[in-house]
């Protein structure tokens, strides 16, 4: 029996699963820091299932970063992978490396209605692209393009590294402070897990507040528990996300809708839905009406990136 394996590898975790009959099975999450290479993590995963490495035939890995040449370097962890060496080491017939947010985008094509929460009502244009965006270890951005005759094509990019927009005097002050700390104030600087902590410390510095919270989880927990200052920081996080999402919708022409994904926002869904995200999203002057028609969903599915890697593998095998 041959095995098909899919992986969704981010800065912190490698999510691995078997792909059988267009479904995920045996999902496991392994910390990337615990393994020297992706191949080591896969061997550990298969050993835990009592499956021999020799049975492995096809692999698709969704990788955080731009996927181009033979050697790939992960953006937010220490792993590297050579397509040729990796295939030879594991004895693979088929290997597919895809950008992690391209896989995330493809995962939206298999999403159940129960796996998304409506953030903004709208009428999706079935002939227009969709935007897939979300903060996690970094900030991922991808497009999803409908094809004539059915099917979808993912459009990967590195939109998490665009400049942070400034839409208020407060944001201008925060940008100025951040520009003194880093060479490039990119969206990911504030719109990610570690970005939330950076944003909190920047706010504290500007306001003369002692920074007592030491992690993104502590900031979120304090905000949800009623800490007014932490709630203000989280509100700024949501507003800045709204601006970035709106910019991307206008750039892509994403009238097909927006899928907000990643591991950060699902931790405070009710807060997010009540935040100023939508006001910031639509705050585009004469283009605000364009954005009012665009539906927005928050994705709560457990492993959409893994599912998307499976879809990408199916496409590879179907194409021969």
């Amino acid at each position: 029996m041959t095995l098909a394996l899919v992986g969704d590898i981010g800065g912190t975790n490698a999510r691995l699963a078997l792909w059988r009959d267009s479904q995920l099975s045996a999902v496991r999450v392994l910390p990337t820091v615990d393994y020297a290479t992706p191949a080591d993590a896969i061997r550990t995963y298969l050993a835990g299932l009592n499956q021999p490495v020799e049975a492995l035939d096809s692999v698709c890995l969704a990788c955080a970063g731009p996927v181009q040449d033979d050697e790939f370097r992960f953006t937010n962890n220490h792993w590297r992978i050579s397509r040729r060496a990796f295939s030879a080491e594991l004895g693979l017939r088929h290997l597919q490396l895809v950008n992690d947010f391209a896989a995330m985008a493809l995962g939206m094509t298999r999403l159940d209605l129960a796996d998304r929460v409506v953030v903004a009502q709208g009428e999706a244009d079935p002939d227009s692209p969709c935007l897939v965006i979300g903060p996690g270890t970094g900030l991922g951005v991808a497009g999803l393009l409908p094809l004539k005759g059915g099917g979808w094509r993912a459009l990967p990019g590195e939109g998490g590294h665009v400049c942070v927009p400034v839409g208020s005097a407060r944001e201008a002050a925060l940008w100025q402070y951040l520009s003194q700390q880093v060479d490039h104030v990119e969206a990911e600087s504030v719109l990610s897990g570690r970005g939330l902590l950076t944003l909190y410390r920047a706010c504290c510095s500007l306001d003369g507040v002692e920074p007592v919270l030491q992690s993104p989880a502590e900031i979120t927990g304090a905000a949800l528990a009623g800490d007014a200052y932490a709630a203000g920081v989280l509100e700024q996080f949501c507003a800045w996300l709204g601006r970035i999402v709106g910019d991307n919708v206008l750039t892509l022409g994403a009238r097909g809708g927006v899928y907000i994904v990643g591991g950060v926002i699902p931790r405070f869904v009710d807060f997010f839905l009540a935040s100023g995200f939508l006001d910031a999203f639509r705050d585009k002057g004469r283009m605000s009406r364009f954005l009012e028609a665009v539906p927005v969903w928050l994705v709560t599915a457990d492993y959409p990136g893994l599912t998307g890697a499976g879809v990408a593998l199916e496409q590879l095998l179907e194409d021969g």
Side-chain angles (χ1 to χ4, degrees), residues 105-178:
L106 290 173
M108 300 304 100
T109 68
R110 302 288 177 89
L111 202 64
D112 292 332
L113 291 178
D115 290 329
R116 68 187 194 187
V117 175
V118 175
V119 178
Q121 298 284 355
E123 186 173 345
D125 180 349
D127 298 320
S128 293
C130 300
L131 173 69
V132 183
I133 184 169
T137 301
L139 178 67
V141 183
L144 189 62
L145 184 67
L147 302 177
K148 290 183 178 180
W152 297 84
R153 178 182 178 185
L155 304 174
E158 292 299 322
H161 302 287
V162 301
C163 298
V164 169
V166 173
S168 68
R170 174 67 168 180
E171 290 172 2
L174 286 167
W175 185 94
Q176 186 173 27
Y177 171 84
L178 291 167

Side-chain angles (χ1 to χ4, degrees), residues 20-223:
R20 291 171 171 161
D21 300 323
S22 298
Q23 298 290 331
L24 299 174
S25 65
V27 177
R28 302 287 187 274
V29 181
L30 305 180
T32 56
V33 71
D34 290 349
Y35 302 92
T37 68
D40 290 341
I42 288 174
R43 286 193 185 91
T44 297
Y45 168 78
L46 292 175
L49 299 178
N50 294 316
Q51 295 284 358
V53 174
E54 293 75 18
L56 197 57
D57 177 78
S58 305
V59 170
C60 180
L61 299 180
C63 306
V67 177
Q68 295 175 336
D69 301 324
D70 176 71
E71 183 171 294
F72 175 81
R73 299 186 180 190
F74 290 81
T75 302
N76 291 316
N77 70 42
H78 64 286
W79 283 357
R80 298 183 184 183
I81 187 170
S82 162
R83 296 173 195 260
R84 287 190 292 267
F86 184 84
S87 295
E89 183 178 356
L90 296 180
L92 303 177
R93 283 201 306 156
H94 304 285
L95 172 63
Q96 175 88 320
L97 300 184
V98 295
N99 174 266
D100 62 332
F101 255 73
M104 184 70 78
L106 290 173
M108 300 304 100
T109 68
R110 302 288 177 89
L111 202 64
D112 292 332
L113 291 178
D115 290 329
R116 68 187 194 187
V117 175
V118 175
V119 178
Q121 298 284 355
E123 186 173 345
D125 180 349
D127 298 320
S128 293
C130 300
L131 173 69
V132 183
I133 184 169
T137 301
L139 178 67
V141 183
L144 189 62
L145 184 67
L147 302 177
K148 290 183 178 180
W152 297 84
R153 178 182 178 185
L155 304 174
E158 292 299 322
H161 302 287
V162 301
C163 298
V164 169
V166 173
S168 68
R170 174 67 168 180
E171 290 172 2
L174 286 167
W175 185 94
Q176 186 173 27
Y177 171 84
L178 291 167
S179 70
Q180 297 169 357
Q181 311 301 313
V182 297
D183 293 334
H184 173 48
V185 186
E186 59 188 7
E188 192 172 281
S189 300
V190 291
L191 296 176
S192 59
R194 67 177 183 272
L196 177 57
L197 182 59
T198 298
L199 179 59
Y200 168 74
R201 289 172 173 168
C203 289
C204 288
S205 180
L206 288 180
D207 299 333
V209 172
E210 182 68 23
V212 296
L213 304 174
Q214 301 300 320
S215 71
E218 288 185 19
I219 297 166
T220 302

Side-chain angles (χ1 to χ4, degrees), residues 147-311:
L147 302 177
K148 290 183 178 180
W152 297 84
R153 178 182 178 185
L155 304 174
E158 292 299 322
H161 302 287
V162 301
C163 298
V164 169
V166 173
S168 68
R170 174 67 168 180
E171 290 172 2
L174 286 167
W175 185 94
Q176 186 173 27
Y177 171 84
L178 291 167
S179 70
Q180 297 169 357
Q181 311 301 313
V182 297
D183 293 334
H184 173 48
V185 186
E186 59 188 7
E188 192 172 281
S189 300
V190 291
L191 296 176
S192 59
R194 67 177 183 272
L196 177 57
L197 182 59
T198 298
L199 179 59
Y200 168 74
R201 289 172 173 168
C203 289
C204 288
S205 180
L206 288 180
D207 299 333
V209 172
E210 182 68 23
V212 296
L213 304 174
Q214 301 300 320
S215 71
E218 288 185 19
I219 297 166
T220 302
L224 298 181
D227 182 311
Y229 195 80
V233 173
L234 199 59
E235 173 65 30
Q236 178 61 65
F237 183 94
C238 294
W240 241 332
L241 180 61
R243 296 195 196 287
I244 284 288
V245 172
D247 285 350
N248 275 275
V249 168
L250 292 179
T251 301
L252 187 61
R255 292 178 296 164
V258 175
Y259 295 92
I260 298 175
V261 297
V264 174
I265 303 299
R267 297 174 183 172
F268 50 91
V269 174
D270 291 339
F271 185 102
F272 178 72
L273 293 176
S275 75
F277 167 84
L278 273 182
D279 288 339
F281 169 66
R282 294 167 173 164
D283 183 20
K284 300 299 180 188
R286 60 182 177 176
M287 294 305 297
S288 294
R289 292 187 65 181
F290 180 99
L291 292 163
E292 288 172 0
V294 176
V296 181
W297 304 282
L298 173 61
V299 176
T300 58
D302 290 330
Y303 304 111
L306 268 180
T307 299
V311 175

